[in-house]
Amino acid sequence: MIFNAFKSRKLNKIEAIESKPSWRVAWGAVDINEEDIAWREDKIAIILPRTASGFVTEKLAISSLQQFVVVGDVWLTNQTQLLQSLGIEPNSYGGTSVQLVAHLWEKWGVESLNLLVGMFALVVWDREKQELWLVRDRIGARTLYYTTTGSTRWIASNLRTLAPYHSSDLDLVALRDYLCCAFVPGERTLWQQVRELRPGTILQFPDQKVQAYWHLQEQITAIDRPLAWHAERLRELLDQVVKEYLPPQTEPVGVFLSGGLDSSCITAIAAKFHNSPVHTFSIHFGDECPNELEFSSLVASHCQTQHHILEITFKDMWERLPETMAYLDDPIGDPLTVPNLLVGRLARESVEVVLNGEGGDPCFGGPKNQPMLINSLYNSVTNQNSLQAYLISFQKCASDLPQLLKPEVWSAVQTTPWVFEEDLYSSASYLNRLMTMNIKFKGADQILTKVSNLTQAALLQGRSPLFDQRVVELSMEITPEYKLSGVEEKAVLKQAVSDILPERIISRPKSGMMVPVQLGFRKYWQREARDLLLNRHAAISPYLERSPIRNWLNYQGDTWSRYGVKLWLLVSLEIWLQVNKK
C-alpha cells in the first residue's frame, strides 16, 4: 500500500516544533539562581525541564543508599538482563532506565558501564567522594557537551542548552575541519569554550581526567572461514538487534527506506518480526531530478509495508533550512538534513519509533572507501599522502582552504594536527583503518548526531540498528576482503540478507541519496545565496574570503560539478551561526 504525501497536504503549513528542553548540570561554584533546579548540593545543581505537572523526573535518579545521583538520557536493549543481575524481577520493575543505572553504579561503580548495551549520555555525582563523572555510550548515539572555562562548568546533552554559559568565540580549528568534512569531528565544537565528550569515554571531575572504557579496534577472527560462515553470524546478530530495536508488538514501527541495501535489509527484518504495521517512508525531489522510488517501492511491496512517499521541493529545501539548523547541535553541511526533518515529521503522523539503515557503509565497506584504497596503491603517482587523500575524499573544501580562509585564520590553523591521524596511521589493515575513522567520526559526529537531533525535533525515537555496538564490533572481526574487494562492496552484508530481499536490491550498485543542490543553486537559490553569503555583515565574513564563494556562485571552473555541495555547506554554516548568535 503506497501513500503519496504531496506538498499541498504536508508541507505548506508545518508549524515549528520546539525541541524538548534539555536537562543540564552545573558543577563547581554553583551560586546560581535558576528557577528549574530539581536537585542541588554545595558543588552541584541539576536543572530539569518542566511540564505543566512539574519536573520531567524520569531523567533523574538517586541510588538506594543515597550516595549516587544520576541524570541523563538512557535507552538500553539489555534491561531485562541487567535487572536480573541485580536480583530484580523484570516484570515487577517500575523504575526508569536512569534509576537502573543508579542501582548498577551503586553496586559496581564505573565497571557497570561494561554491562550497558544501548544509547546513553550520563552524569553521575558521587556525594561521598565529591566526584563527578560524565559518560557517553560506545558508538555516540547520544551526545554530551561541557564548558571548559570558569569556576562553574556546565554540562548538557544538547549544545544549544549551554548557550548562556559560554562566549560566542569560534573555534577556528573546528571551522577548518567543518569546511573539509561538512561536520565537526572529534571533541571540538564550533564554540571555543565547549567540548563534546567522545564516544566510549569517561570524564571525571575535579581531576578533569578522560579515560576510555571501550575501544573500537580491529580483531579479525576465523580468517580461514568462508564468506557464508561470516554472513550467517552477521544475520543472526542483525535479527537479534532489530528485534530489540522494535517497539512493543502492539505499536506500529517506521523505517526510512531509500531503496538501497542498508535500509532495505532493516525494512525486511523489521517486517519479518513485527506483528503490527510497518510503515516505510521515502522521498524524492520532483520531476526534474532522478530518484530511487522504483527500488524503495519494490522493497515496500516485497515486505508488504504501508509505504509513504514525500515530495520535497526546492522551495521546501531553502525555506526549512533555518529551522533545521536550529535543531542541530553543531552545523552539519549534509544536504540531507532538511529532508531528514521533513520525512521525520511525516513519519510521526503514523509512528513513534523509526528505524534507519545508517551504518551499513561505515561498518561493511561502502564504495566511498574506494578512492582511498586506490590512493594507497598509486600514491607514488598521485603524490598525495594518506592524510591529504583522506581529507580530499570528503569532496568538500579541503583543497580550497588556503584561498577560502582569511590569511590570518589559515595561518592560525594550518599546522594544527587533524583528529584522524592516529587512526589513519595505525597498524590495522588499511580498509579497517578507514572504517574505524568513518565510525568514530562521521558516524558519531555527523550521522548519529543528525539522527538524534532531527528525529527528536520531529518527536520521534530514532534508532540505527546497523550502528549497534555489537554490529560494529562484529564488523571489525570480519576479514576486509569480505567487506570491500575491488568493485564489490558489502559482500558479507549482501549474503547475510540475500534470502529476504529481491535480487535487484542485492545486485544493484550503490548510488546514494543524491540531493539536487547543484541544480538548486543554479536555478532556484542563486539570488538568495548571493545575498546570504556575500553580504558584508554575514556571520562567516570575518573568517572566509568572498572571492572563491563568488566564483562558486557563478559556477566558474566547476569541472567536477561540486560547487553546489560546497555552497550548501557554506549556506548551512551561515544560517547555523545566525540562528545560534547571542
Side-chain angles (χ1 to χ4, degrees):
M1 186 184 303
I2 296 178
F3 301 93
N4 281 282
F6 292 106
K7 177 179 178 294
S8 59
R9 186 169 67 87
K10 294 294 175 190
L11 298 181
N12 274 346
K13 297 182 178 180
I14 291 181
E15 296 180 358
I17 301 175
E18 294 296 329
S19 296
K20 289 184 177 180
S22 171
W23 54 268
R24 58 197 184 277
V25 174
W27 177 86
V30 292
D31 184 18
I32 57 176
N33 186 26
E34 298 262 354
E35 64 179 21
D36 290 338
I37 293 177
W39 194 92
R40 74 182 300 164
E41 284 187 347
D42 290 344
K43 292 184 178 180
I44 187 170
I46 298 174
I47 297 95
L48 295 179
R50 283 180 182 268
T51 65
S53 57
F55 288 116
V56 181
T57 55
E58 68 264 20
K59 304 284 187 181
L60 176 67
I62 302 176
S63 65
S64 301
L65 300 179
Q66 307 290 304
Q67 180 179 349
F68 300 104
V69 182
V70 181
V71 61
D73 301 313
V74 183
W75 181 80
L76 301 172
T77 65
N78 64 333
Q79 182 157 308
T80 296
Q81 294 90 333
L82 293 173
L83 289 167
Q84 290 171 342
S85 73
L86 293 168
I88 299 174
E89 172 55 44
N91 291 332
S92 63
Y93 181 69
T96 66
S97 297
V98 178
Q99 287 173 319
L100 175 55
V101 172
H103 295 317
L104 293 165
W105 200 281
E106 188 168 70
K107 185 170 183 178
W108 288 296
V110 70
E111 296 300 319
S112 63
L113 297 177
N114 296 322
L115 304 175
L116 304 183
V117 180
M119 305 182 287
F120 49 89
L122 295 165
V123 176
V124 181
W125 172 242
D126 187 331
R127 302 174 69 191
E128 183 179 301
K129 296 181 179 180
Q130 297 286 286
E131 293 177 344
L132 191 72
W133 301 80
L134 279 59
V135 182
R136 190 175 176 196
D137 66 64
R138 295 165 181 80
I139 309 301
R142 293 290 179 264
T143 52
L144 196 59
Y145 301 94
Y146 59 96
T147 59
T148 59
T149 60
S151 58
T152 305
R153 301 299 176 88
W154 288 89
I155 303 127
S157 61
N158 181 286
L159 186 55
R160 290 193 77 191
T161 301
L162 298 180
Y165 313 116
H166 65 79
S167 76
S168 57
D169 297 335
L170 295 196
D171 185 315
L172 297 182
V173 175
L175 175 63
R176 176 201 70 177
D177 295 357
Y178 170 83
L179 294 171
C180 285
C181 307
F183 61 94
V184 180
E187 69 171 0
R188 295 179 186 271
T189 72
L190 213 56
W191 302 122
Q192 192 177 94
Q193 296 179 350
V194 184
R195 289 291 182 264
E196 180 181 24
L197 187 66
R198 299 308 298 149
T201 63
I202 309 163
L203 172 60
Q204 186 259 330
F205 287 102
D207 297 341
Q208 300 189 48
K209 178 182 177 183
V210 178
Q211 64 186 81
Y213 69 90
W214 181 81
H215 293 277
L216 175 61
Q217 54 190 354
E218 179 182 74
Q219 293 182 317
I220 297 176
T221 60
I223 196 169
D224 57 332
R225 294 283 192 169
L227 175 63
W229 185 85
H230 290 283
E232 185 178 348
R233 286 183 73 211
L234 174 59
R235 174 58 180 280
E236 182 179 346
L237 180 58
L238 288 178
D239 285 354
Q240 176 189 344
V241 168
V242 172
K243 282 192 287 186
E244 292 173 353
Y245 278 47
L246 292 170
Q249 288 290 338
T250 56
E251 300 175 11
V253 68
V255 186
F256 292 148
L257 175 61
S258 69
L261 176 68
D262 307 334
S263 61
S264 297
C265 78
I266 297 302
T267 299
I269 297 172
K272 178 180 178 182
F273 291 111
H274 203 55
N275 294 332
S276 291
V278 176
H279 293 259
T280 46
F281 304 91
S282 300
I283 62 172
H284 71 106
F285 298 95
D287 295 337
E288 289 183 275
C289 309
N291 61 65
E292 297 192 306
L293 294 182
E294 171 189 358
F295 300 104
S296 61
S297 297
L298 172 64
V299 174
S301 176
H302 179 80
C303 299
Q304 297 184 307
T305 69
Q306 296 185 21
H307 193 44
H308 308 253
I309 298 172
L310 177 65
E311 177 181 347
I312 297 175
T313 68
F314 288 96
K315 185 171 184 279
D316 299 325
M317 287 286 292
W318 189 264
E319 290 184 350
R320 296 302 180 184
L321 184 55
E323 181 185 5
T324 305
M325 289 298 109
Y327 287 127
L328 294 174
D329 287 324
D330 259 328
I332 293 176
D334 176 2
L336 275 169
T337 51
V338 174
N340 287 161
L341 177 64
L342 298 183
V343 76
R345 287 181 169 160
L346 172 62
R348 185 60 186 86
E349 297 183 4
S350 304
V351 301
E352 294 184 8
V353 174
V354 65
L355 311 182
N356 61 66
E358 302 284 13
D361 282 358
C363 291
F364 298 105
K368 290 185 179 180
N369 292 293
Q370 288 172 345
M372 286 296 293
L373 295 173
I374 292 171
N375 181 76
S376 71
L377 293 173
Y378 300 108
N379 57 13
S380 61
V381 177
T382 62
N383 200 31
Q384 289 181 347
N385 64 37
S386 292
L387 179 60
Q388 289 174 317
Y390 186 69
L391 297 176
I392 291 171
S393 73
F394 283 99
Q395 298 186 326
K396 301 301 187 295
C397 301
S399 301
D400 307 300
L401 289 180
Q403 296 77 40
L404 181 60
L405 289 170
K406 297 264 188 178
E408 63 274 17
V409 177
W410 177 235
S411 176
V413 304
Q414 183 177 4
T415 59
T416 303
W418 295 79
V419 296
F420 310 115
E421 294 183 34
E422 180 181 351
D423 294 300
L424 186 58
Y425 298 122
S426 76
S427 60
S429 65
Y430 194 63
L431 178 61
N432 279 343
R433 275 183 264 167
L434 299 178
M435 290 172 53
T436 296
M437 291 187 292
N438 286 340
I439 294 166
K440 286 176 62 173
F441 300 111
K442 187 173 184 179
D445 299 320
Q446 176 185 330
I447 299 172
L448 289 171
T449 297
K450 181 182 67 170
V451 168
S452 177
N453 289 169
L454 298 182
T455 53
Q456 288 182 44
L459 305 181
L460 284 167
Q461 298 178 51
R463 299 173 185 173
S464 308
L466 293 177
F467 264 127
D468 182 273
Q469 68 183 67
R470 295 159 293 181
V471 176
V472 170
E473 289 170 339
L474 180 61
S475 77
M476 286 294 162
E477 297 177 9
I478 299 172
T479 179
E481 289 74 18
Y482 292 155
K483 289 181 279 194
L484 180 62
S485 180
V487 296
E488 176 70 14
E489 77 259 10
K490 295 187 275 196
V492 66
L493 180 59
K494 289 180 178 179
Q495 179 139 342
V497 297
S498 61
D499 64 315
I500 54 174
L501 287 175
E503 172 59 27
R504 289 181 65 198
I505 301 299
I506 298 293
S507 60
R508 67 180 289 244
K510 181 179 177 67
S511 61
M513 177 61 69
M514 300 302 295
V515 184
V517 291
Q518 189 83 350
L519 176 61
F521 284 107
R522 275 189 179 275
K523 185 174 180 180
Y524 295 99
W525 310 322
Q526 179 76 215
R527 180 171 58 82
E528 293 89 344
R530 286 181 181 278
D531 293 343
L532 188 72
L533 297 177
L534 300 181
N535 190 313
R536 292 183 182 274
H537 302 292
I540 60 173
S541 62
Y543 313 99
L544 304 185
E545 298 282 7
R546 285 186 291 172
S547 178
I549 300 173
R550 186 178 290 109
N551 290 340
W552 296 348
L553 285 164
N554 292 333
Y555 282 88
Q556 294 178 1
D558 190 14
T559 306
W560 303 107
S561 298
R562 300 300 303 172
Y563 285 4
V565 171
K566 294 178 182 183
L567 289 168
W568 184 266
L569 177 150
L570 293 182
V571 165
S572 297
L573 173 63
E574 173 65 23
I575 292 178
W576 187 90
L577 288 170
Q578 288 189 17
V579 298
N580 283 280
K581 68 182 179 182
K582 296 187 178 183

